Amino acid sequence: MLTGLDNIHVLADLEGLARAVAERVIELARHNIEATGRFSIALAGGGTPRHLYTLLASAEFRGLTDWNRWQVFFGDERCVAPDHADSNYRMARETLLDHVPIPAEQIHPMVYDPSAPQEAAAAYEARLYRHVDRENDMPVLDLVLLGLGHDGHTASLFPETDILDVRDRLVAAVHVEKLQSWRISMTYPLLDHARHICFMVAGENKQRVIRDLHDGRRDPLYPVERLSPQGTVEWFLDELAMGDLR
Ligand code: 6PG
């Protein structure tokens, strides 16, 4: 269980948050490429990471890593076509992936056919087994970037959905009633085994969930609290999300 908030970095604003995470991503990429020749990362969706991806693709950061060694995955995806305005893949492609020389076969969108969510989830699990180094037959991602919803969801692990109980699959499809839409998401077993997790949380509307996580008195637990990370976790927050907790 993810108890409390440890390893927190509070940045003045979204720009500062993006810069701090970009520096960590480059550092982790360098470390893993030196150690294994590869760097596997799961990108987060939503709005907060946009600035990070744009910064990583900028002249200031683009030259700081060997993109040829990257394997890019997604922590979750909306069940829409890859070119749909709501697609996390499209957002990452427009802000980062179209601007850096990662070989196309090393970029792994989650959804190709939005009409078949279960099949997309099963195909993605097979893709992870094929392209990610394993420990005890579990694919171990070097870095997972995660956002946090004001309801305590992360990736597409939303409250009161059946994906929260999935323990026998690494990726699953989930119908999110309150969004009236299907999502594909990495599940707890896979996320828990990541070597490193960076949470990125910005904005005043996250103050309540951050305070609750800090106090650790939630019942029922937020979905994010049901993570049991085996690796290291860092929280990158802006001052708005931190509120008066400082
Ligand atoms: C998505 C994300 C989702 C997101 C949170 C926070 O597909 O929307 O994976 O989990 O990270 O909803 O979103 P913001 O960072 O935009 O607040």
Side-chain angles (χ1 to χ4, degrees):
M1 193 175 109
L2 196 71
T3 51
L5 288 173
D6 302 314
N7 221 348
I8 298 181
H9 310 272
V10 182
L11 293 310
D13 51 25
L14 194 50
E15 162 76 26
L17 186 156
R19 178 167 295 281
V21 179
E23 289 165 359
R24 176 69 76 251
V25 170
I26 293 298
E27 178 193 347
L28 289 167
R30 182 179 299 123
H31 170 77
N32 284 283
I33 289 168
E34 279 169 9
T36 68
R38 282 179 296 284
F39 177 55
S40 57
I41 181 173
L43 301 181
T48 302
R50 292 185 72 95
H51 207 98
L52 163 65
Y53 302 156
T54 303
L55 201 52
L56 284 171
S58 72
E60 182 182 358
F61 283 85
R62 187 169 50 235
L64 301 179
T65 186
D66 182 355
W67 298 100
N68 261 314
R69 306 291 185 147
W70 285 46
Q71 289 281 352
V72 177
F73 299 90
F74 290 81
D76 72 320
E77 184 57 278
R78 294 85 182 276
C79 233
V80 294
D83 60 354
H84 189 284
D86 292 345
S87 165
N88 289 334
Y89 164 70
R90 175 175 163 180
M91 181 271 284
R93 189 172 53 72
E94 291 175 342
T95 52
L96 174 61
L97 303 176
D98 278 356
H99 309 284
V100 293
I102 300 173
E105 66 274 17
Q106 293 170 208
I107 297 174
H108 307 282
M110 262 187 165
V111 174
Y112 292 93
D113 173 4
S115 69
Q118 311 295 354
E119 292 77 359
Y124 209 68
E125 176 164 317
R127 190 179 276 262
L128 285 158
Y129 273 107
R130 198 160 52 248
H131 295 284
V132 179
D133 294 342
R134 296 182 221 168
E135 288 172 16
N136 303 320
D137 202 31
M138 169 63 74
V140 177
L141 291 159
D142 294 321
L143 172 60
V144 173
L145 301 178
L146 289 173
L148 179 68
H150 61 78
D151 60 357
H153 82 261
T154 192
S156 283
L157 303 171
F158 281 88
E160 298 165 33
T161 60
D162 54 12
I163 197 172
L164 300 183
D165 300 318
V166 171
R167 294 286 162 178
D168 61 345
R169 281 163 285 156
L170 307 183
V171 183
V174 54
H175 186 262
V176 185
E177 199 62 37
K178 68 178 175 183
L179 301 177
Q180 280 299 298
S181 65
W182 281 91
R183 295 279 189 104
I184 312 289
S185 182
M186 291 184 175
T187 58
Y188 289 117
L190 179 61
L191 295 171
D192 285 345
H193 282 85
R195 284 194 181 80
H196 193 81
I197 293 175
C198 286
F199 283 99
M200 299 175 288
V201 188
E204 197 164 4
N205 68 328
K206 307 294 172 71
Q207 275 186 20
R208 173 61 194 273
V209 62
I210 289 296
R211 166 171 292 286
D212 287 345
L213 292 177
H214 175 270
D215 296 347
R217 284 201 305 269
R218 279 282 303 179
D219 183 19
L221 295 173
Y222 283 124
V224 69
E225 291 177 292
R226 295 173 61 166
L227 282 166
S228 298
Q230 311 297 303
T232 47
V233 178
E234 283 183 285
W235 292 82
F236 293 84
L237 285 69
D238 72 354
E239 290 195 354
L240 282 175
M242 198 63 185
D244 57 10
L245 263 184
R246 293 179 66 86

